[in-house]
Amino acid sequence: MLSHLLEAGIVLFVSGFFIGFLSGLLGKGGGLLLIPTFWFIFPFIGIPEKIVPKAAVATSLACMTVTSSTSAWQHIKKGYLKKDIFFNLLIGAVPGVFIGSAITARLLSPEMTKLLFAIFLIFMSLKMLKKPEKGEKTEKINKRKVLLTGFASGFIAGLLGIGGGSLVTPMLYSFADVPIKVAMATSTGIVFFNSFFSVLNYIYYGLNKVNFPYFFGYVYIPVLIFMVPSLYIGTRIGVRLMHRVNSEKLRKWFAVFLIFVAFEVILKLVGGFLK
């Protein structure tokens, strides 16, 4: 098992850099790529199949605290992360996170968790393929809508093990009338708190249920050791390039990739049911 863990560590380190880079470049937390990576790696190193889905979700959230905090700090220094919008988002997100992660940790089956994740992947990939609107919002910010956006992002984050950035940015822009650049930057801050509070929930619910070595609740510690350095480096580089490179083509290719990942997950679920 130790040799498998070292081999997996190399894969995790390399993939961490690219996931971090895309997270910084696209303003995402990285959960859409982290979770499928862990679904592939965890069985390879001998982690029981019954805990793989929840362990992947929890470990993904732990990794996203690194990518999102790195991105948020870079945006704070550039002046794009607005405190008033952020704190209203946070007030709404905290209860949403605990409700969503509690449902997954205590009620949902591994198969249902995977199915919901696949559906969400398809939904978000279609939104990414849609041509974005041009221009900036100039209307007065509606705090109630910002609160609702925060709750929705927190609930989705806890339920599916993502940071919620893919949901926060379009909702802030189209639903709460927040300028697009401010929406992208502020979403990284809320992704950090969504991920952080969700991780606490998964640790709490997994302490007495996971007896496999190197686990803290549902979080698999060796992944953090191998991935955190490369995630940090990749995210910093991605954020620096975010405002310099036209990423529209990259977004479209990324969306197509997400569709393939989603259908792969669905095919594996169907195959499992047919066995």
Side-chain angles (χ1 to χ4, degrees):
M1 178 181 169
L2 182 60
S3 61
H4 282 184
L5 182 60
L6 291 175
E7 292 174 12
I10 297 173
V11 174
L12 289 168
F13 184 87
V14 174
S15 61
F17 174 82
F18 288 104
I19 293 172
F21 176 77
L22 287 172
S23 299
L25 183 63
L26 299 175
K28 312 295 181 185
L32 298 178
L33 289 174
L34 286 166
I35 292 177
T37 300
F38 298 152
W39 282 346
F40 173 78
I41 292 292
F42 284 176
F44 174 75
I45 58 180
I47 293 177
E49 186 66 32
K50 64 180 181 179
I51 67 170
V52 166
K54 292 178 182 178
V57 167
T59 309
S60 167
L61 288 164
C63 289
M64 280 189 287
T65 61
V66 177
T67 58
S68 57
S69 60
T70 303
S71 296
W73 178 243
Q74 297 298 315
H75 289 305
I76 289 172
K77 292 194 295 184
K78 293 179 180 294
Y80 284 110
L81 199 155
K82 303 301 181 182
K83 294 181 181 179
D84 55 340
I85 301 174
F86 169 75
F87 284 117
N88 278 285
L89 277 173
L90 184 60
I91 292 171
V94 171
V97 163
F98 280 102
I99 293 172
S101 56
I103 289 174
T104 296
R106 301 186 67 177
L107 301 177
L108 289 184
S109 66
E111 291 77 16
M112 183 58 68
T113 302
K114 286 186 176 182
L115 179 60
L116 288 173
F117 180 73
I119 293 172
F120 185 77
L121 274 182
I122 294 172
F123 172 74
M124 289 314 307
S125 62
L126 293 176
K127 285 188 69 67
M128 291 180 70
L129 284 172
K130 183 180 178 181
K131 187 176 181 179
E133 298 178 40
K134 295 183 179 180
E136 298 273 334
K137 298 284 186 179
T138 57
E139 302 174 31
K140 184 178 179 180
I141 293 172
N142 188 315
K143 291 185 178 180
R144 182 179 298 179
K145 291 183 178 180
V146 174
L147 284 169
L148 289 174
T149 298
F151 179 83
S153 69
F155 180 79
I156 294 294
L159 187 69
L160 302 182
I162 62 173
S166 299
L167 182 68
V168 172
T169 298
M171 284 190 70
L172 280 179
Y173 178 68
S174 59
F175 179 63
D177 301 319
V178 175
I180 187 63
K181 289 184 179 180
V182 175
M184 292 183 68
T186 307
S187 71
T188 61
I190 207 65
V191 165
F192 169 76
F193 279 92
N194 284 349
S195 303
F196 179 76
F197 286 118
S198 292
V199 164
L200 294 182
N201 237 16
Y202 279 103
I203 290 173
Y204 173 76
Y205 286 117
L207 283 177
N208 297 321
K209 295 182 179 179
V210 182
N211 298 316
F212 199 76
Y214 312 119
F215 270 88
F216 184 39
Y218 281 112
V219 178
Y220 192 49
I221 301 301
V223 165
L224 304 184
I225 296 173
F226 285 115
M227 289 195 82
V228 164
S230 58
L231 280 170
Y232 175 76
I233 295 170
T235 303
R236 282 184 61 91
I237 296 174
V239 171
R240 288 181 180 179
L241 291 178
M242 183 179 181
H243 299 290
R244 302 179 184 177
V245 178
N246 184 343
S247 60
E248 287 307 312
K249 288 185 179 180
L250 183 58
R251 286 178 186 270
K252 291 177 181 179
W253 282 106
F254 187 58
V256 172
F257 171 74
L258 293 183
I259 293 176
F260 278 110
V261 173
F263 279 106
E264 182 182 0
V265 172
I266 293 173
L267 287 174
K268 285 185 178 181
L269 283 173
V270 173
F273 286 129
L274 293 178
K275 287 183 180 180

